[in-house]
Amino acid sequence: MAIMKNQERNLCVVLPNNTQLNITVGVKGRGQDVINKLSDLLDIRELHLFGLSVIKDNQLLFLDLEQKLSMYLPKSWRKNTLKHKVVIHLKVQYFVENAQLILNDEACKLYYTEIKSRVLGSTCYDHEGLYFQLAAYSMQAELGDYKQGNIDQPKDFFPLWIIQRRGKDFILEHTPALHREITGMSSSKAARLFIQNAFILNDVPVTIYTLFKGKRKLGGVVLGLASTGLQISEMLNGEQQFLYELPWSSIHSVTFQGKKFEIRADALHGGKVVFYNLSVLHAKHLLQHISNSHRLHLNTKRMAIQCKETNETDTYREMYVTDDMNIEESDDDLPPMKFLLANAKNILKDSDITINSYGLEMSVDEPVEMLVDDPKDVLHLFELLEGESVDDPCTVYNFH
């Protein structure tokens, strides 16, 4: 018993709703072991769209669930000499192109919670009206049908810049009308409509990675990974300047060798760009995240198109908010939730998506047109010195 206990280690997992769960895993435990324990504790079998993350070198890093936890955590955790608790986060790792694909309601609640936090930090100034619509969906999802006075703190539903621009009185005057329009809508439907429409905001469904133009970490580059492809910006005088929008269909390949990261795509000047990661570990995991996101896009593409064609009105038609607007008299009706989740399973029967009783599961099989040559010896990669050499393995992900 003493030997078994000596092989156990403690972890604190923070959920998207900031709930902290303390779990015990083996010293040789892997990320998937943590996911399995979370599934049991939360009674959610569908966590495929989430990942475990840590902050390493001041940058987000999603764990490879097949690797040992000790690869990402302090050595003192493995040696059991750590004085403070080790924290990892359960975060949304994959963005679906249609919220109907999140079939499990409990998983959807977690997904919604993180997307809402992203919306509250969003700064898409040209979509001001959309934030009011999202607030109505959010209130329906969390508070149920409208009751007078059930919104007291706009900061719980609106980004700070809208509150500063419009003022609390304006928000309290106009938001209730939008909330009343969706009386009777279930919490799960409201949450899915919130997610679907929040993805219109280009700074919400995206994971940000920091890269560099040179080996010495000079010239910051921001790489955004979205469900539809990659976004590239650069930092100039402390401000982010947009450079490229690269849909999946326009990308030929992504390659990493050592810390060097190369993207080949039609829209790029010269057909390619070369950046550098913080480490080999970051480069390898970035490539994995990109390839998995692209595979998810391919596996759900037909379903996303069918959902869109089934009910085009599920996507929010934006309304311009003005100081003198009368929302109650607006012709801009809220999109009805005509496409029920039950229909998703019928549509998916002939698709490339695997559906079980808990929801969507990403296929682990590679589409025939793909070539992914992942290095087997990840620990060796992790231990490589900074920089690159001719001995560094070259890993290529081909999109076509």
Side-chain angles (χ1 to χ4, degrees), residues 5-6 374:
K5 191 170 184 179
N6 190 46
D374 288 329

Side-chain angles (χ1 to χ4, degrees), residues 5 11 73 93 102 112 133 183 189 199 230 285 296 298 305 314 318-319 354 360 387:
K5 191 170 184 179
L11 279 177
L73 304 180
Q93 186 172 7
I102 311 173
Y112 158 82
Q133 187 72 72
T183 296
K189 290 181 182 180
F199 284 2
L230 302 177
H285 284 67
L296 177 62
L298 290 179
I305 293 174
D314 273 351
E318 187 164 350
M319 169 177 50
T354 301
L360 171 68

Side-chain angles (χ1 to χ4, degrees), residues 148-266:
Q148 188 172 2
N150 63 354
I151 173 174
D152 182 51
Q153 297 296 331
K155 65 180 179 63
D156 294 335
F157 299 98
F158 289 90
L160 180 60
W161 65 268
I162 288 186
I163 300 174
Q164 292 173 338
R165 173 184 288 184
R166 293 294 173 180
K168 182 177 179 179
D169 290 343
F170 180 88
I171 292 173
L172 294 180
E173 177 184 356
H174 293 292
T175 307
L178 290 171
H179 191 183
R180 283 195 296 268
E181 287 293 325
I182 51 177
T183 296
M185 180 179 289
S186 71
S187 174
S188 61
K189 290 181 182 180
R192 285 180 173 85
L193 275 175
F194 179 93
I195 294 169
Q196 186 66 42
N197 289 283
F199 284 2
I200 296 173
L201 304 170
N202 59 20
D203 60 356
V204 170
V206 60
T207 302
I208 299 298
Y209 289 96
T210 300
L211 304 176
F212 302 93
K213 294 181 179 180
K215 298 179 183 179
R216 299 185 181 277
K217 301 180 181 179
L218 298 175
V221 176
V222 176
L223 180 69
L225 172 55
S227 63
T228 54
L230 302 177
Q231 305 163 3
I232 301 176
S233 304
E234 65 177 338
M235 300 303 297
L236 293 175
N237 300 321
E239 294 186 1
Q240 187 172 319
Q241 302 292 327
F242 178 79
L243 295 178
Y244 299 105
E245 178 84 27
L246 304 178
W248 293 128
S249 59
S250 72
I251 304 175
H252 298 293
S253 66
V254 176
T255 305
F256 91 86
Q257 183 175 20
K259 294 193 298 181
K260 187 171 74 171
F261 204 85
E262 178 185 284
I263 302 173
R264 292 180 178 270
D266 293 332

Side-chain angles (χ1 to χ4, degrees), residues 22-59:
N22 295 312
I23 65 173
T24 302
V25 294
V27 67
K28 296 183 179 180
R30 303 175 186 273
Q32 188 59 51
D33 298 328
V34 176
I35 292 293
N36 293 341
K37 283 183 174 288
L38 290 177
S39 293
D40 292 337
L41 289 171
L42 301 172
D43 196 23
I44 301 176
R45 300 303 169 190
E46 205 275 338
L47 289 175
H48 307 291
L49 299 176
F50 297 85
L52 298 174
S53 70
V54 296
I55 299 298
K56 195 169 186 64
D57 300 323
N58 295 318
Q59 178 154 235

Side-chain angles (χ1 to χ4, degrees), residues 20 55 62 77 113 186 224 244 297 361:
Q20 297 186 12
I55 299 298
F62 281 106
W77 179 82
T113 300
S186 71
Y244 299 105
H297 164 75
E361 181 175 356

